[in-house]
Amino acid sequence: MFDLGYSFCPNDTFIFYALTHGRIATPEPIREVLEDVETLNQWALQQKLQITKISYRAYAEVREQYIALRSGGALGRGVGPLIVTRAPLAHLNGKTIASPGALTTAESLLKLYAPEAHIIRMRYDQIMPAVEKGDIDAGLIIHESRFTYPDHGLQKHLDLGAWWEEQTGLPLPLGAILVRRDLPTQLQSELNAAVRSSLEYAYSHPEEPKAYIRQHALEMSDQVMQAHIDLYVNPFSLDVGPEGERAVQELFSRLEKAGVIRPSSLPLFVD
């Protein structure tokens, strides 16, 4: 039995529904373990799960132990984290900004964009209320918050994904699905194929996973839930492809130059 860790977010529950509900063949029995991404990031440091969703920033910390599947991840354009405020800010230098986690790709982008900002950390769903109350100057928001921040009276200061795309011309790598490097390479490839098959099943049977997705997205409207899936599940989720690989390499290269992560020569993706 392999434990597969992924988040409560609609993109993950959409992708992994078939894999964890016996709708497709898998090389090993798969058991779901649902947690927020920052918890999964921390668990990966402990090598707790055989297969896990993780932020690309966190992947840089566990490259010796894990390798990324080509399928199931979150990359794309127009998918980046947002910096939101109550009132306009001229700049972020010295401002207190709440981040959803030290090992999130969102925080790594913030450090590249505004290295002088003062970063504190909160669970992602607590950030917008804190900005709304004026407890902090700005918030770095991810997931469904991208669609709901105006409901909190907040405004967009910057789209860090758009900033990344302008800087690099590449899609933004957000999250990857990792497997243990010590698993046989054939099994790694079979797990990658199973994840792809799970997503293909969801595309072919879009109504079937909805009850499962809704079970873990109780506070979202149907419109936000579907918008979340439409944004974060895209062709890069089926296969990262050459452009996606270049994007990950570029992100890691910039973080290495900034002294945020250590370099590694290990391959990033399964064959």
Side-chain angles (χ1 to χ4, degrees):
M1 177 73 70
F2 279 9
D3 286 330
L4 164 61
Y6 54 92
S7 79
F8 305 98
C9 293
N11 59 310
D12 283 350
T13 48
F14 179 81
I15 290 172
F16 295 114
Y17 165 79
L19 193 67
T20 56
H21 287 74
R23 298 299 189 267
I24 61 166
T26 59
E28 295 284 342
I30 302 293
R31 177 170 54 198
E32 65 179 9
V33 180
L34 274 70
E35 271 293 349
D36 67 277
V37 173
E38 185 62 6
T39 296
L40 295 173
N41 288 344
Q42 295 297 330
W43 282 0
L45 298 177
Q46 305 165 30
Q47 302 175 51
K48 187 170 182 177
L49 304 175
Q50 294 99 335
I51 320 169
T52 186
K53 173 75 174 282
I54 194 172
S55 73
Y56 270 105
R57 165 64 185 89
Y59 179 23
E61 300 296 323
V62 296
R63 280 182 283 180
E64 299 291 327
Q65 295 79 31
Y66 288 93
I67 186 169
L69 300 183
R70 304 189 65 83
S71 297
L75 299 88
R77 292 182 168 85
V79 300
L82 306 180
I83 300 171
V84 296
T85 62
R86 281 203 309 174
L89 294 177
H91 58 80
L92 298 178
N93 290 346
K95 302 298 183 182
T96 298
I97 305 175
S99 157
L103 293 179
T104 59
T105 304
E107 182 170 314
S108 65
L109 289 176
L110 178 60
K111 287 180 175 178
L112 291 175
Y113 174 77
E116 302 302 319
H118 173 59
I119 298 173
I120 63 171
R121 298 184 181 105
M122 296 181 178
R123 203 174 71 185
Y124 80 94
D125 58 346
Q126 297 175 347
I127 291 176
M128 290 193 298
V131 180
E132 186 178 12
K133 289 188 294 184
D135 294 342
I136 50 178
D137 297 312
L140 185 59
I141 61 170
I142 57 176
H143 301 326
E144 68 276 3
S145 302
R146 184 181 181 90
F147 308 107
T148 59
Y149 71 89
D151 299 339
H152 292 261
L154 304 180
Q155 57 187 274
K156 180 175 67 176
H157 176 81
L158 180 71
D159 183 328
L160 280 171
W163 173 78
W164 166 265
E165 292 170 39
E166 291 167 4
Q167 294 285 308
T168 67
L170 293 167
L172 176 63
L174 292 174
I177 311 302
L178 306 187
V179 297
R180 293 279 299 265
R181 281 193 191 267
D182 57 8
L183 295 176
T185 55
Q186 178 64 29
L187 180 56
Q188 293 174 0
S189 297
E190 289 171 355
L191 289 167
N192 183 76
V195 170
R196 179 173 180 132
S197 294
S198 185
L199 176 52
E200 290 173 338
Y201 184 95
Y203 275 141
S204 299
H205 306 80
E207 295 301 315
E208 188 178 330
K210 282 189 174 179
Y212 177 63
I213 298 167
R214 164 58 58 208
Q215 176 187 347
H216 299 291
L218 295 177
E219 297 182 4
M220 291 186 207
S221 68
D222 288 344
Q223 292 79 11
V224 169
M225 194 171 74
Q226 189 59 51
H228 191 114
I229 294 169
D230 292 343
L231 182 63
Y232 293 107
V233 184
N234 56 47
F236 291 110
S237 303
L238 279 171
D239 190 292
V240 66
E243 187 178 32
E245 286 193 53
R246 289 198 303 273
V248 177
Q249 290 164 352
E250 181 66 22
L251 177 64
F252 285 0
S253 174
R254 289 182 179 230
L255 293 175
E256 287 169 9
K257 289 176 182 175
V260 177
I261 66 172
R262 300 182 303 274
S264 172
S265 60
L266 289 169
L268 291 172
F269 293 94
V270 300
D271 292 332

